Amino acid sequence: MNPQKTLLKVEDLRLYYPVPGKKIGQLEYIKAVDDVSFEVKEGEVFGIVGESGCGKSTLGRAICKLNPPTSGKIVLDGEDISDYGSRQMRAVRKKVQMVFQDPYASLNPRMSVFEIIAEPLKIHHLTTSKEQMKEKVLDLLRKVGLDDYHANRYPHEFSGGQRQRIGIARALAVQPKLIIADEPVSALDVSIQAQVLNLLNKLKRELNLTYIFIAHDLSVVEHISDRIGVMYLGNFVEVGSKEELYQNPLHPYTQALLSAVPVPDPTAKKERIILEGNIPSALNPPTGCRFHTRCPKCMPCCKTEAPACHHVDGTHAVYCHLYDEKNKA
Amino acid sequence: MESRKNILEVKNLHTYFHTSSGIVRSVDGVDFTLQEGKTLGIVGESGSGKSVTALSIMGLLDDTTGRIEEGEILLDGRDIVPLSKEEKRQIRGNKISMIFQEPMTSLNPVMKIGQQLTECILQHQKVSKDEAWRIAEEMLRKTGVPRVERMMKEYPFQLSGGQRQRVMIAMALVCRPRILIADEPTTALDVTIQAQILDLMNNLKRDIGTSTLFITHDLGVVAEVCDEVVVMYCGRVVEKADVYELFAHPTHPYTKGLLHSIPKLGERVDELEAIPGNVPNPKYMPAGCKFAPRCAYATEKCHQAEPAFTDLGNGHTCRCWLCEKGGMA
């Protein structure tokens, strides 16, 4: 494995959802993802964290084009897929698969587990005979910790954690290189959540997978990721290795987010930064730095100018005026 | 230690649901005491019976298939289980009130915020409509929402999730109840908004002197807001202690498992210690200790008979055969 190889490169990606505007026939745009660039190396776990409405799920869906991006460039495994139509995307989906948040809604209730897992194998013509297909499906089931007899059951017969395992087996069926997991454990109880996180880690090691792991829970993202990007209102505000980001958060939003996480230790006394107000609407995001309306360290320039990217060191980047040369002194 | 008045005592509570496919024993022998001015946390996973306990106390099971089969709920020393519907109505909202988990679905979508807030005041207090409106406005202002006057005339869909939860809190506290039951009040909210709401609840508790029953599955939240904790599993209390004691010396294998299975900020582990298996189906409960099938320390005895509470001193009690022998380090 070459750890330096870039598996996914996203440049200036935008995804706007059109919504009816104030006047009849007029359209306005929800800027769900606005000018996002990042890279994911082979074999790493890239975590995307942010609050609801920050565009993290849209970003995940835009990468595998479940929601077609408005503009921008996506290069997957050396192949520029930016202009691919849905037909061409089929071949690409052998390389990138998704695991969805809601294990109740993402499995077809009328299909047996066997049919659910066999479907991608059929679509991509990955098996030559029925026996081979059966063997592959059962093998996938065992990989995710389910038994052979589960194959003939239907999704409603399973618990949330087991369903998420089925969703993972389905994603693994085409032997993808990249798995985009969109809040895969947030619907599960804590004891089950740990089981699924352990499973994802095990599969990553065994099958040399790369994950983009999208979640709102900072402790979960820290646990599983190598590098993490913090999103706010359609954009990254800070990207860094997990060690850097959690021990030395630079952006005021990252700092507030980390301080807001409840710690399961009653003796821990900590300074909590309580942010005022709510996330502004993505229909009409604030000018300048998008966080300036809630930022405890807002300066006049934050209201007018969008902050540039400051590279603190090789892996840690922050988008904030506090780290402009002129403000450092 | 100062002795406080017991404001709410739940004794040997059994709440069963009579469904077409048999009896579901959702709450099966729950005991706890809430002291005046304190916050008691009830922790457990889905299906542990924590919400049904809350609904039993509120007397909200009357028109469902659920029934309190046995046990007493003492409010200020008076049993409220045998009371008539009308008498329960006098208590509800006035002496005990409740904040529900989903701020989206628990407000009436076709009633203005002001109307919903004053409804409870007019029900329980002999005041004019104008006076009620004024009390409601004052309470809403206390929860820290902006532009109170306008919000009183708005509908729930016009508010954000955090604002709706603040309205729910204002509604629950508007009659200055002695006891507040908060059923997962922050689960549906983002971390920064959760921090705002927890902060607000702590301040209001200080101002109004309400005792709180805080139901949650998040041990981090418990550590931050609760004075005492009850851990529930399969309709039973398995461990009870004050919050410092519980986090310092978790004794029941289930409590330990819960604490170990959550990833913690700043902690580096390759694998989480997940609790194996699933919560048993309430229709097919194991015979002995309900946790035995998932417990790493289970012995023959655990599968046959259910343990009683062992007193470990300092108000710490645990329902496990291992403590009974005194054989647990």
Coordinates of all heavy atoms in Angstrom, one line a residue, chain A residues 51-52 159 162 189-192 194-195 197-198 201 218-220 222-223 243 246-247 257-258 260-267 270 272 274-278 294, chain B residues 45-46 160 163 190-196 199 219-221 223-224 243-244 247 258 261-272 274-278 294:
Chain A
E51 N -22.7 20.4 12.3 CA -24.1 20.4 12.9 C -25.1 20.2 11.8 O -24.7 20.3 10.6 CB -24.4 21.7 13.6 CG -23.5 21.8 14.8 CD -23.8 23.1 15.6 OE1 -23.4 24.2 15.2 OE2 -24.6 23.0 16.5
S52 N -26.3 19.9 12.1 CA -27.3 19.7 11.1 C -27.4 20.9 10.2 O -27.3 22.0 10.7 CB -28.6 19.3 11.6 OG -28.9 20.1 12.7
S159 N -32.7 -6.1 14.2 CA -32.6 -4.9 15.0 C -31.8 -3.9 14.3 O -31.2 -4.1 13.2 CB -31.9 -5.3 16.3 OG -30.5 -5.6 16.0
Q162 N -28.2 -4.8 13.5 CA -28.1 -5.8 12.5 C -28.4 -5.3 11.1 O -27.7 -5.6 10.1 CB -29.0 -7.0 12.8 CG -28.6 -7.8 14.0 CD -29.6 -8.8 14.4 OE1 -30.8 -8.5 14.4 NE2 -29.2 -10.0 14.7
D189 N -28.2 2.5 19.5 CA -27.9 2.7 21.0 C -26.3 2.6 21.2 O -25.6 2.0 20.4 CB -28.5 1.5 21.7 CG -29.9 1.9 22.2 OD1 -30.1 3.1 22.5 OD2 -30.8 1.1 22.1
V190 N -25.9 3.1 22.3 CA -24.4 3.2 22.5 C -23.7 1.8 22.5 O -22.7 1.7 21.9 CB -24.0 4.0 23.8 CG1 -24.0 5.4 23.6 CG2 -24.9 3.6 25.0
S191 N -24.4 0.8 23.1 CA -23.7 -0.5 23.1 C -23.6 -1.1 21.7 O -22.6 -1.7 21.3 CB -24.3 -1.4 24.1 OG -25.6 -1.8 23.6
I192 N -24.6 -0.8 20.9 CA -24.6 -1.3 19.5 C -23.7 -0.5 18.6 O -23.0 -1.0 17.7 CB -26.1 -1.3 19.0 CG1 -27.0 -1.9 19.9 CG2 -26.1 -1.9 17.6 CD1 -26.8 -3.4 20.2
A194 N -20.9 0.9 19.4 CA -19.6 0.4 19.6 C -19.3 -0.8 18.7 O -18.3 -1.0 18.1 CB -19.3 0.1 21.0
Q195 N -20.3 -1.7 18.7 CA -20.2 -2.9 17.8 C -19.9 -2.6 16.4 O -19.1 -3.1 15.7 CB -21.4 -3.8 17.9 CG -21.7 -4.5 19.2 CD -23.0 -5.2 19.3 OE1 -23.7 -5.3 18.3 NE2 -23.3 -5.7 20.4
L197 N -18.9 0.4 15.1 CA -17.7 1.1 14.9 C -16.5 0.1 14.8 O -15.6 0.2 14.0 CB -17.4 2.1 16.0 CG -18.3 3.3 16.0 CD1 -18.0 4.2 17.2 CD2 -18.0 4.2 14.7
N198 N -16.5 -0.9 15.7 CA -15.5 -1.9 15.7 C -15.5 -2.7 14.4 O -14.4 -3.0 13.9 CB -15.6 -2.9 16.9 CG -15.2 -2.3 18.2 OD1 -14.5 -1.3 18.2 ND2 -15.6 -2.9 19.3
N201 N -13.9 -0.7 11.6 CA -12.5 -0.7 11.8 C -11.9 -2.0 11.3 O -10.8 -2.0 10.6 CB -12.1 -0.4 13.2 CG -11.7 1.0 13.5 OD1 -11.2 1.7 12.5 ND2 -11.8 1.5 14.7
L218 N -18.7 14.3 17.8 CA -17.3 14.5 17.7 C -16.4 13.4 18.3 O -15.4 13.1 17.8 CB -16.9 15.8 18.4 CG -17.3 17.0 17.6 CD1 -18.3 17.9 18.4 CD2 -16.1 17.8 17.2
S219 N -16.9 12.7 19.4 CA -16.2 11.6 20.0 C -16.1 10.5 19.0 O -15.1 9.8 18.9 CB -16.7 11.2 21.3 OG -17.6 12.1 21.9
V220 N -17.2 10.2 18.3 CA -17.2 9.1 17.4 C -16.3 9.3 16.2 O -15.5 8.5 15.8 CB -18.7 8.8 16.9 CG1 -18.7 7.9 15.7 CG2 -19.5 8.2 18.0
E222 N -13.7 11.3 16.2 CA -12.3 11.2 16.6 C -11.9 9.8 16.7 O -10.7 9.5 16.4 CB -12.2 11.9 18.0 CG -10.7 11.9 18.4 CD -10.5 12.3 19.9 OE1 -11.5 12.0 20.7 OE2 -9.5 12.7 20.3
H223 N -12.7 8.9 17.2 CA -12.4 7.5 17.4 C -12.0 6.9 16.1 O -11.0 6.2 16.0 CB -13.5 6.8 18.1 CG -13.3 5.3 18.1 ND1 -12.4 4.7 19.0 CD2 -13.8 4.3 17.4 CE1 -12.4 3.4 18.8 NE2 -13.2 3.1 17.8
E243 N -5.2 14.3 15.8 CA -4.4 14.7 16.9 C -4.3 16.3 17.0 O -4.6 16.9 18.0 CB -3.0 14.1 16.9 CG -2.9 12.6 17.1 CD -3.2 11.8 15.9 OE1 -3.3 12.4 14.8 OE2 -3.4 10.6 16.0
Y246 N -7.9 18.0 17.6 CA -8.5 17.9 18.9 C -7.7 18.5 20.0 O -8.2 18.9 21.0 CB -8.9 16.5 19.2 CG -10.2 16.0 18.5 CD1 -10.2 15.9 17.1 CD2 -11.4 15.9 19.3 CE1 -11.4 15.5 16.5 CE2 -12.5 15.5 18.7 CZ -12.6 15.3 17.3 OH -13.7 15.0 16.7
Q247 N -6.4 18.5 19.8 CA -5.5 19.0 20.9 C -5.2 20.5 20.7 O -5.0 21.2 21.6 CB -4.2 18.3 20.9 CG -4.4 17.0 21.8 CD -3.4 15.9 21.4 OE1 -2.3 16.2 21.0 NE2 -3.8 14.7 21.6
L257 N -17.3 23.9 19.4 CA -17.9 22.6 19.2 C -17.3 21.6 20.1 O -18.0 20.8 20.8 CB -17.6 22.2 17.7 CG -18.5 21.3 17.0 CD1 -19.9 21.8 17.0 CD2 -18.1 21.1 15.6
L258 N -16.0 21.6 20.3 CA -15.3 20.7 21.2 C -15.7 20.9 22.6 O -15.9 20.0 23.4 CB -13.8 20.8 21.0 CG -13.2 20.1 19.8 CD1 -11.8 20.4 19.6 CD2 -13.4 18.6 19.9
A260 N -18.4 22.0 23.7 CA -19.8 21.7 23.9 C -20.1 20.3 24.1 O -21.2 19.9 24.6 CB -20.7 22.3 22.8
V261 N -19.1 19.4 23.8 CA -19.4 18.0 24.0 C -19.4 17.6 25.4 O -18.5 17.9 26.2 CB -18.2 17.2 23.3 CG1 -18.5 15.7 23.4 CG2 -18.2 17.5 21.8
P262 N -20.5 17.0 25.9 CA -20.6 16.6 27.3 C -19.6 15.4 27.6 O -19.5 14.5 26.8 CB -22.0 16.1 27.5 CG -22.8 16.5 26.2 CD -21.7 16.6 25.1
V263 N -18.8 15.6 28.6 CA -17.8 14.6 29.0 C -18.4 13.6 30.0 O -18.9 14.1 31.0 CB -16.5 15.3 29.5 CG1 -15.5 14.3 29.8 CG2 -16.0 16.3 28.5
P264 N -18.3 12.3 29.8 CA -18.8 11.4 30.8 C -17.9 11.3 32.0 O -17.4 10.2 32.3 CB -18.9 10.1 30.0 CG -17.9 10.2 28.9 CD -17.8 11.6 28.6
D265 N -17.7 12.4 32.7 CA -16.9 12.4 33.9 C -17.3 13.6 34.7 O -17.1 14.7 34.4 CB -15.4 12.5 33.6 CG -14.5 12.6 34.8 OD1 -15.1 12.5 35.9 OD2 -13.3 12.8 34.7
P266 N -18.1 13.3 35.8 CA -18.7 14.4 36.6 C -17.6 15.3 37.3 O -17.9 16.4 37.7 CB -19.5 13.7 37.6 CG -19.0 12.3 37.7 CD -18.4 12.0 36.4
T267 N -16.4 14.8 37.4 CA -15.4 15.6 38.1 C -14.7 16.6 37.1 O -13.9 17.5 37.6 CB -14.3 14.7 38.7 OG1 -13.8 13.8 37.7 CG2 -14.9 13.9 39.8
K270 N -14.8 22.1 33.1 CA -14.2 22.7 31.9 C -14.9 24.0 31.5 O -16.1 24.3 31.9 CB -14.2 21.8 30.8 CG -15.6 21.2 30.5 CD -15.5 20.3 29.2 CE -16.9 20.1 28.7 NZ -16.9 19.5 27.4
R272 N -16.7 26.1 29.2 CA -17.5 25.9 28.0 C -17.8 27.2 27.2 O -18.1 28.2 27.8 CB -18.9 25.3 28.5 CG -19.6 24.7 27.3 CD -20.9 24.2 27.8 NE -20.9 22.8 28.0 CZ -21.9 22.1 28.5 NH1 -22.9 22.7 29.1 NH2 -21.8 20.8 28.6
I274 N -20.2 28.9 25.1 CA -21.6 28.7 24.6 C -21.8 29.7 23.4 O -21.7 30.9 23.6 CB -22.6 28.9 25.7 CG1 -22.3 27.8 26.8 CG2 -24.0 28.9 25.2 CD1 -23.5 27.2 27.5
L275 N -22.1 29.1 22.3 CA -22.4 30.0 21.1 C -23.8 30.5 21.2 O -24.7 29.9 21.6 CB -22.3 29.1 19.8 CG -20.9 28.7 19.4 CD1 -21.0 27.8 18.2 CD2 -20.0 29.8 19.2
E276 N -23.9 31.8 20.8 CA -25.2 32.4 20.8 C -25.9 32.0 19.5 O -25.3 31.8 18.5 CB -25.1 33.9 20.8 CG -24.5 34.4 22.1 CD -25.4 34.3 23.3 OE1 -26.6 34.5 23.1 OE2 -24.9 33.9 24.4
G277 N -27.2 32.0 19.5 CA -28.0 31.9 18.3 C -27.9 30.5 17.6 O -27.4 29.6 18.1
N278 N -28.5 30.5 16.4 CA -28.6 29.3 15.5 C -27.7 29.5 14.3 O -27.3 30.6 14.0 CB -30.0 29.1 15.1 CG -30.9 28.8 16.3 OD1 -30.7 27.8 17.0 ND2 -31.8 29.7 16.6
R294 N -22.0 34.4 14.8 CA -22.0 33.7 16.1 C -20.6 33.7 16.8 O -20.4 33.1 17.8 CB -22.4 32.2 15.9 CG -23.9 32.1 15.4 CD -24.2 30.7 15.1 NE -24.5 29.9 16.3 CZ -24.5 28.6 16.3 NH1 -24.2 27.9 15.2 NH2 -24.8 27.9 17.4
Chain B
E45 N -30.8 2.2 27.5 CA -30.9 2.2 26.1 C -32.3 2.1 25.7 O -33.2 2.0 26.6 CB -30.1 1.0 25.6 CG -28.7 1.0 25.8 CD -28.0 -0.2 25.2 OE1 -28.0 -1.2 25.9 OE2 -27.4 -0.1 24.1
S46 N -32.6 2.2 24.4 CA -34.0 2.1 24.0 C -34.6 0.7 24.5 O -33.9 -0.3 24.4 CB -34.2 2.2 22.5 OG -33.0 1.9 21.8
S160 N -36.8 27.4 14.9 CA -35.8 26.4 14.8 C -36.0 25.3 15.9 O -36.7 25.5 16.8 CB -34.4 27.0 14.8 OG -34.2 27.4 16.2
Q163 N -35.2 26.6 19.3 CA -36.2 27.6 19.8 C -37.4 26.8 20.2 O -38.0 27.1 21.3 CB -36.6 28.5 18.7 CG -35.5 29.6 18.5 CD -35.8 30.5 17.3 OE1 -36.5 30.1 16.4 NE2 -35.2 31.6 17.2
D190 N -28.4 19.7 18.0 CA -27.0 19.7 17.8 C -26.2 20.0 19.1 O -26.7 20.6 20.0 CB -26.7 20.8 16.8 CG -27.0 20.3 15.4 OD1 -26.7 19.2 15.0 OD2 -27.7 21.1 14.6
V191 N -24.9 19.7 19.1 CA -24.2 19.9 20.3 C -24.1 21.3 20.8 O -24.2 21.5 22.0 CB -22.7 19.3 20.2 CG1 -22.6 17.9 20.6 CG2 -22.0 19.6 18.9
T192 N -23.9 22.3 19.9 CA -23.8 23.6 20.4 C -25.2 24.1 21.0 O -25.2 24.8 22.0 CB -23.4 24.6 19.3 OG1 -24.3 24.6 18.2 CG2 -22.0 24.3 18.8
I193 N -26.3 23.6 20.3 CA -27.6 24.0 20.9 C -27.9 23.2 22.1 O -28.4 23.7 23.1 CB -28.7 23.7 19.8 CG1 -28.3 24.3 18.4 CG2 -30.1 24.1 20.3 CD1 -28.3 25.8 18.4
Q194 N -27.4 21.9 22.2 CA -27.5 21.1 23.4 C -26.9 21.8 24.6 O -27.4 21.9 25.7 CB -26.9 19.8 23.2 CG -26.7 19.0 24.4 CD -26.3 17.5 24.2 OE1 -27.1 16.7 23.7 NE2 -25.1 17.2 24.5
A195 N -25.7 22.4 24.3 CA -25.0 23.1 25.4 C -25.8 24.3 25.9 O -25.9 24.5 27.1 CB -23.6 23.5 24.9
Q196 N -26.4 25.0 25.0 CA -27.3 26.1 25.3 C -28.4 25.7 26.2 O -28.7 26.3 27.2 CB -27.9 26.8 24.1 CG -26.9 27.6 23.2 CD -27.6 28.1 21.9 OE1 -28.8 27.9 21.7 NE2 -26.8 28.7 21.1
D199 N -27.4 24.4 29.7 CA -27.0 25.6 30.5 C -28.3 26.3 31.0 O -28.4 26.6 32.2 CB -26.3 26.5 29.6 CG -25.4 27.5 30.3 OD1 -24.7 27.1 31.2 OD2 -25.5 28.7 30.0
L219 N -24.4 9.3 28.6 CA -23.7 9.4 29.9 C -23.0 10.7 30.0 O -22.8 11.2 31.2 CB -22.8 8.2 30.0 CG -23.5 6.9 30.2 CD1 -22.6 5.7 29.8 CD2 -23.9 6.8 31.7
G220 N -22.6 11.3 28.9 CA -21.9 12.6 29.0 C -22.9 13.7 29.6 O -22.5 14.4 30.5
V221 N -24.1 13.7 29.1 CA -25.1 14.6 29.6 C -25.4 14.3 31.1 O -25.5 15.3 31.9 CB -26.4 14.5 28.8 CG1 -27.5 15.4 29.4 CG2 -26.1 15.0 27.4
A223 N -23.4 13.1 33.3 CA -22.3 13.6 34.2 C -22.3 15.1 34.4 O -21.9 15.6 35.4 CB -20.9 13.2 33.5
E224 N -22.9 15.8 33.4 CA -22.9 17.3 33.5 C -24.1 17.8 34.3 O -24.0 18.8 35.0 CB -23.0 17.9 32.1 CG -21.7 17.5 31.3 CD -21.2 18.6 30.5 OE1 -21.9 19.6 30.3 OE2 -20.1 18.4 30.0
V243 N -23.8 10.7 41.4 CA -23.1 10.7 40.1 C -21.6 10.5 40.2 O -21.0 9.9 39.4 CB -23.5 12.0 39.3 CG1 -22.9 13.3 40.0 CG2 -23.1 12.0 37.9
Y244 N -21.0 11.1 41.2 CA -19.5 10.9 41.4 C -19.2 9.5 41.6 O -18.2 8.9 41.0 CB -19.0 11.8 42.5 CG -19.2 13.3 42.2 CD1 -20.2 14.0 42.8 CD2 -18.3 13.9 41.3 CE1 -20.4 15.3 42.5 CE2 -18.5 15.3 41.0 CZ -19.5 16.0 41.6 OH -19.7 17.3 41.3
F247 N -19.6 7.2 38.4 CA -18.6 7.2 37.4 C -17.2 6.8 37.9 O -16.4 6.3 37.1 CB -18.5 8.7 36.8 CG -19.6 9.0 35.8 CD1 -20.8 9.4 36.2 CD2 -19.4 8.7 34.4 CE1 -21.9 9.7 35.3 CE2 -20.4 9.0 33.5 CZ -21.7 9.4 33.9
L258 N -21.6 0.1 29.4 CA -22.0 1.3 28.8 C -20.9 2.4 28.8 O -20.6 3.0 27.8 CB -23.2 1.9 29.6 CG -24.6 1.5 29.2 CD1 -25.6 2.3 30.0 CD2 -24.9 1.7 27.7
S261 N -18.2 1.5 26.3 CA -18.5 1.4 24.9 C -18.6 2.8 24.2 O -18.7 2.8 23.0 CB -19.8 0.6 24.7 OG -20.9 1.2 25.3
I262 N -18.6 3.9 25.0 CA -18.6 5.2 24.3 C -17.2 5.7 24.1 O -16.3 5.7 24.9 CB -19.4 6.2 25.1 CG1 -19.1 6.1 26.6 CG2 -20.9 6.1 24.8 CD1 -19.8 7.2 27.4
P263 N -16.9 6.1 22.8 CA -15.6 6.7 22.6 C -15.5 8.1 23.3 O -16.5 8.8 23.4 CB -15.6 7.0 21.1 CG -17.0 6.7 20.6 CD -17.8 6.1 21.6
K264 N -14.4 8.3 23.9 CA -14.3 9.6 24.7 C -13.3 10.5 24.0 O -12.3 10.1 23.4 CB -13.8 9.3 26.1 CG -14.8 8.5 26.9 CD -14.2 7.9 28.1 CE -15.1 6.8 28.6 NZ -15.0 5.5 27.8
L265 N -13.6 11.8 24.1 CA -12.7 12.8 23.5 C -11.3 12.7 24.0 O -11.1 12.5 25.2 CB -13.2 14.2 23.8 CG -14.3 14.8 22.9 CD1 -14.6 16.2 23.2 CD2 -14.0 14.6 21.4
G266 N -10.3 12.7 23.2 CA -8.9 12.7 23.6 C -8.4 11.3 24.0 O -7.3 11.2 24.5
E267 N -9.2 10.3 23.8 CA -8.7 9.0 24.2 C -8.4 8.2 22.9 O -9.2 8.2 22.0 CB -9.8 8.3 25.0 CG -9.4 7.1 25.8 CD -10.5 6.4 26.5 OE1 -11.3 5.7 25.8 OE2 -10.7 6.6 27.7
R268 N -7.3 7.5 22.9 CA -6.9 6.7 21.7 C -7.0 5.2 22.0 O -6.3 4.7 22.8 CB -5.5 7.0 21.3 CG -5.1 8.4 21.1 CD -5.1 8.9 19.7 NE -4.9 10.3 19.6 CZ -5.9 11.2 19.7 NH1 -7.1 10.8 20.0 NH2 -5.6 12.5 19.6
V269 N -8.0 4.6 21.4 CA -8.1 3.2 21.5 C -8.3 2.6 20.1 O -9.0 3.2 19.3 CB -9.2 2.7 22.5 CG1 -8.8 2.8 23.9 CG2 -10.5 3.5 22.2
D270 N -7.8 1.4 19.9 CA -8.1 0.8 18.6 C -9.5 0.2 18.5 O -10.1 0.3 17.5 CB -7.0 -0.3 18.3 CG -5.7 0.3 17.9 OD1 -5.7 1.5 17.5 OD2 -4.7 -0.4 18.1
E271 N -9.8 -0.4 19.6 CA -11.1 -1.1 19.6 C -11.9 -0.7 20.8 O -11.4 -0.6 21.9 CB -10.9 -2.6 19.6 CG -12.2 -3.3 19.2 CD -11.9 -4.6 18.5 OE1 -10.9 -4.7 17.8 OE2 -12.6 -5.6 18.8
L272 N -13.2 -0.4 20.6 CA -14.1 -0.1 21.7 C -14.5 -1.4 22.4 O -14.7 -2.4 21.7 CB -15.3 0.7 21.3 CG -15.0 2.0 20.7 CD1 -16.3 2.5 19.9 CD2 -14.7 3.0 21.7
A274 N -17.3 -3.1 23.1 CA -18.7 -3.2 22.9 C -19.4 -4.2 23.8 O -18.7 -5.2 24.2 CB -19.0 -3.5 21.5
I275 N -20.6 -4.0 24.1 CA -21.4 -5.0 24.8 C -21.9 -6.0 23.7 O -22.6 -5.5 22.8 CB -22.6 -4.5 25.6 CG1 -22.1 -3.4 26.6 CG2 -23.4 -5.5 26.3 CD1 -23.2 -2.7 27.3
P276 N -21.7 -7.3 23.8 CA -22.1 -8.1 22.7 C -23.6 -8.3 22.7 O -24.3 -8.0 23.7 CB -21.4 -9.5 23.0 CG -21.1 -9.4 24.4 CD -20.9 -8.0 24.8
G277 N -24.2 -8.7 21.6 CA -25.6 -9.0 21.5 C -26.5 -7.8 21.5 O -26.1 -6.7 21.4
N278 N -27.8 -8.1 21.6 CA -28.8 -7.0 21.6 C -29.7 -7.1 22.9 O -29.7 -8.1 23.6 CB -29.7 -7.3 20.4 CG -29.0 -7.0 19.1 OD1 -28.6 -5.9 18.8 ND2 -28.9 -8.1 18.3
R294 N -25.8 -11.2 27.9 CA -24.8 -10.4 27.3 C -23.6 -10.1 28.2 O -22.7 -9.3 27.9 CB -25.4 -9.0 26.9 CG -26.6 -9.1 26.0 CD -27.3 -7.7 25.7 NE -26.5 -6.9 24.9 CZ -26.7 -5.6 24.7 NH1 -27.7 -5.0 25.3 NH2 -26.0 -4.9 23.9

